[in-house]
Amino acid sequence: LCATFFITFGLFNVIVAIFVENVVAAARTNEVLVKRQRSRDKVFFANKMTQLVELISAVEEDRVAEVHSKRLQRSSTARAELFKRAAQIEITPQLFEKLRQNQAFADLCTDLEVADEDHFNLFETLDVDGSGTVDIEEFVEGIAKLRGGARRSDIIGVSLMVQRLIIETQESFEKIIELVGRK
């Protein structure tokens, strides 16, 4: 009876060890896959943003048909020239409206996981400085932040900014009241 107990106990230990070993191996494999996916995602994002910048440049120069015929078959020098040209583009509401009406733009936004409901007010969202225009840097950074659903860090970040604004507003009101009280 005692020998059966020890044999059963030993057998369960071997089974548990095999199970733990498989779980650890799966975790390592999953970690490698996650890193590989993140790397692919960065490459994917860079390629899609390059296409988007190319489209913006083409729409701005009224040469959209040309973009569709030779999509991203550019050398690194040609891409550098594209970005140099695009850096000088200021996206106005009128240019952005032309982009929004372009199916390639909608497809690229979908590929970049920008929600359809965000497309309508996208210009106002991307115009963070309120200048009435969006430069390419604002555009790329804004699209990067809009990708996917809201994350907990996004919500916390907004909450912290609102708290800071409330404190600054209260301090400003206190200073105004103090100044008015002196007069």
Side-chain angles (χ1 to χ4, degrees):
L1 184 70
C2 193
T4 307
F5 173 74
F6 283 118
I7 290 173
T8 305
F9 183 73
L11 186 59
F12 279 124
N13 277 341
V14 169
I15 292 171
V16 168
I18 291 171
F19 177 75
V20 169
E21 184 178 336
N22 286 338
V23 168
V24 170
R28 284 189 195 128
T29 302
N30 191 33
E31 186 178 320
V32 168
L33 290 174
V34 166
K35 285 181 181 178
R36 191 176 301 151
Q37 181 61 33
R38 284 185 186 151
S39 176
R40 284 184 191 150
D41 190 48
K42 289 177 185 175
V43 170
F44 175 81
F45 179 74
N47 286 334
K48 291 298 178 180
M49 287 310 298
T50 301
Q51 291 175 8
L52 210 44
V53 168
E54 185 177 24
L55 181 63
I56 291 167
S57 178
V59 168
E60 198 254 346
E61 296 172 3
D62 285 329
R63 55 176 184 79
V64 178
E66 180 184 325
V67 169
H68 295 295
S69 64
K70 58 177 187 177
R71 188 77 144 178
L72 278 183
Q73 297 178 4
R74 298 176 174 264
S75 66
S76 58
T77 307
R79 283 188 184 179
E81 184 61 33
L82 166 69
F83 283 109
K84 186 177 177 183
R85 240 184 12 257
Q88 297 171 359
I89 296 174
E90 289 287 325
I91 303 171
T92 62
Q94 295 80 15
L95 176 58
F96 193 79
E97 189 56 34
K98 282 184 187 177
L99 284 168
R100 266 188 5 99
Q101 294 172 2
N102 186 302
Q103 186 58 46
F105 178 79
D107 293 344
L108 286 168
C109 285
T110 300
D111 290 347
L112 288 167
E113 300 174 21
V114 175
D116 290 338
E117 58 270 10
D118 289 336
H119 291 201
F120 185 71
N121 293 322
L122 191 56
F123 182 82
E124 291 79 14
T125 303
L126 296 175
D127 186 17
V128 292
D129 61 1
S131 65
T133 62
V134 176
D135 61 30
I136 293 298
E137 185 177 347
E138 282 178 308
F139 186 82
V140 171
E141 287 177 11
I143 294 292
K145 290 178 181 177
L146 282 172
R147 294 184 71 200
R151 294 174 287 278
R152 189 177 310 152
S153 62
D154 297 331
I155 296 167
I156 291 170
V158 168
S159 176
L160 292 173
M161 283 190 273
V162 168
Q163 288 175 357
R164 189 182 79 227
L165 285 172
I166 290 171
I167 291 169
E168 288 176 4
T169 304
Q170 287 174 340
E171 290 171 355
S172 296
F173 280 137
E174 289 170 3
K175 288 179 183 177
I176 291 170
I177 290 172
E178 184 181 314
L179 288 172
V180 170
R182 288 184 190 169
K183 293 183 178 185

